[in-house]
Amino acid sequence: MAITGHATAEGTSRFRTRFARDCPDRHFREADGLWWSSIGLGSYLGSLDDATDTLVVQALASCVSAGVNVVDTAINYRYQRAERCLGRALANLIDAGTIARDEIVLCTKGGYLPHPDRARWFEAEISGRPGGTVTAEDLVGGSHCMHPEYIDDQIERSRRNLGVDTIDLYYLHNPESQVGAVDEQTLHERLLTVFEVLERAADEDRIRMYGLATWNAFRVPAGEPGHMSLELAKRLAAQSAKGRSDRLRFIQLPLNPTMPEALTLAAQTVGGHELPALAACRELGVRAIASRSVGKDTIHLPPKVVGTLGQDLKSDTQRSLQFARSVPEVVSALAGMKSPPHVSENLKLCAVDPLPASVFSGLPDYD
């Protein structure tokens, strides 16, 4: 039986209160009526084996015990294993009385094909289904699809994988994958029809709100590969909502000291003004989640940056996560973590005050 309910103001406030003595006030941020931990558990990388599943289950238990209530995954991460083991971990923690469903903000994504044998899986599961309208022409780069029937299918698979009735935040995964692969009008039509599916899913409580999880869409300038306009996306979402308030509430994008473009590069245009992505979010009423907060590889920050981000912190990995979680426009910074030492290192920041906003008013050169 699926876990009922979803994150609520009461539940996330209860979670926040439980950690009032262990975590500073600014570790939690309010967004869309929910309290989000400034650090979130990511689940992108890892081997396709039971040992990795076990580490993910243990990581979620450690996270919620330290004051983390934001969980991020995607159906294609580890080809559905990430969602499935997080679903089991969530059920175990709820059954044990460690957490309640309404305390956890559960986020996932759809768009990429969630199987290593993409062509065969797509034909068997999607394009070859009787009565369906998805065709091979809807597949971009052999791996990405935004057809409304496909996204609706992926929402249902994710709900089953996670074992929940409702997903709190559902992202369209890297829509910029289709920029340049289809003409601009087709891209806009695909976005609009997907937003209509997501609005309907929110009406039906299968999801609560939706967003765009991106890599370069909003942090590279117009004319660069993959650039997208957040203002246009928000306008299409409003159109899809047909006069009601749309549920496009969040974007996800990379942010760390060596990738500060979302904060520093004027890559978006809102109301005729050029702004960095995070400033554009503020103008458009969209909130931001930081991905790649600790980078993919070992980080080595120059001494002047170490001094700015926290000389007393243990490592540059901690400093990088501290940077991302402290940016005023960021609700939560995601850190992919599985190995117990890595989990422990990241979670120590839950007890540390985020950096003051003044740090970001005159950024040093992080390169």
Side-chain angles (χ1 to χ4, degrees):
M1 180 180 295
I3 300 167
T4 59
H6 52 78
T8 65
E10 179 184 2
T12 54
S13 178
R14 185 191 319 121
F15 186 89
R16 174 182 179 237
T17 300
R18 195 151 68 241
F19 291 92
R21 295 184 62 179
D22 301 316
C23 302
D25 284 346
R26 290 195 301 133
H27 172 58
F28 291 94
R29 289 84 186 269
E30 192 276 335
D32 271 273
L34 305 176
W35 287 99
W36 306 59
S37 56
S38 64
I39 296 170
L41 174 63
S43 59
Y44 174 37
L45 298 175
S47 301
L48 305 177
D49 55 31
D50 293 343
T52 302
D53 287 352
T54 298
L55 289 175
V56 172
V57 170
Q58 293 171 346
L60 181 57
S62 297
C63 282
V64 300
S65 296
V68 168
N69 73 332
V70 178
V71 180
D72 181 89
T73 188
I75 193 168
N76 65 303
Y77 289 176
R78 300 175 56 234
Y79 301 126
Q80 301 189 63
R81 291 189 75 133
E83 283 189 335
R84 289 168 180 164
C85 66
L86 283 170
R88 292 195 300 272
L90 183 64
N92 291 343
L93 292 166
I94 291 173
D95 289 344
T98 304
I99 55 171
R101 172 65 184 95
D102 63 355
E103 298 175 341
I104 301 299
V105 185
L106 185 60
C107 316
T108 193
K109 317 175 189 74
Y112 285 111
L113 305 192
H115 195 280
D117 190 348
R118 294 168 180 162
R120 185 191 63 79
W121 181 90
F122 187 73
E123 182 177 2
E125 296 288 331
I126 306 297
S127 64
R129 290 192 300 197
T133 63
V134 187
T135 70
E137 292 182 356
D138 296 302
L139 192 60
V140 169
S143 64
H144 194 271
C145 184
M146 295 199 308
H147 191 286
E149 286 182 17
Y150 179 73
I151 295 301
D152 195 68
D153 171 274
Q154 296 297 279
I155 292 172
E156 290 308 292
R157 289 177 194 261
S158 288
R159 290 172 68 216
R160 290 195 298 271
N161 287 343
L162 292 164
V164 298
D165 277 346
T166 305
I167 295 163
D168 296 305
L169 173 55
Y170 189 86
Y171 294 104
L172 183 60
H173 201 174
N174 286 14
E176 70 266 38
S177 297
Q178 305 214 0
V179 173
V182 298
D183 63 76
E184 191 171 307
Q185 182 61 33
T186 299
L187 177 64
H188 295 171
E189 290 172 355
R190 288 183 176 184
L191 285 171
L192 178 60
T193 56
V194 166
F195 291 162
E196 289 171 348
V197 167
L198 295 171
E199 290 288 341
R200 185 170 65 250
D203 288 340
E204 296 166 351
D205 262 352
R206 295 187 291 147
I207 67 173
R208 295 291 289 174
M209 51 192 163
Y210 62 94
L212 301 171
T214 65
W215 179 251
N216 56 0
F218 302 126
R219 65 183 185 89
V220 301
E224 292 291 319
H227 170 85
M228 293 179 64
S229 165
L230 182 57
E231 184 179 50
L232 173 62
K234 189 64 173 171
R235 188 161 63 245
L236 291 171
Q239 183 179 340
S240 75
K242 297 178 171 56
R244 300 175 303 172
S245 177
D246 67 80
R247 269 69 68 94
L248 174 55
R249 307 288 173 78
F250 284 82
I251 64 168
Q252 186 181 121
L253 75 177
L255 181 66
N256 64 58
T258 62
M259 298 177 71
E261 299 87 359
L263 182 63
T264 61
L265 181 64
Q268 292 292 307
T269 301
V270 180
H273 300 286
E274 294 184 352
L275 301 168
L278 293 178
C281 286
R282 188 170 58 245
E283 293 296 314
L284 294 167
V286 176
R287 306 302 295 270
I289 303 294
S291 62
R292 193 56 71 87
S293 299
V294 296
K296 186 176 180 180
D297 303 309
T298 302
I299 293 176
H300 298 289
L301 298 175
K304 62 181 177 181
V305 176
V306 169
T308 301
L309 300 184
Q311 190 75 44
D312 55 339
L313 294 180
K314 178 182 177 183
S315 67
D316 284 350
T317 296
Q318 281 188 338
R319 294 182 188 99
S320 182
L321 183 55
Q322 177 73 327
F323 171 91
R325 75 187 281 246
S326 301
V327 172
E329 293 85 359
V330 169
V331 175
S332 187
L334 305 175
M337 43 183 159
K338 285 179 285 294
S339 71
H342 190 196
V343 172
S344 177
E345 180 179 4
N346 289 337
L347 294 181
K348 283 182 171 63
L349 283 179
C350 293
V352 176
D353 257 317
L355 298 167
S358 59
V359 168
F360 302 97
S361 61
L363 289 173
D365 181 4
Y366 286 93
D367 294 327

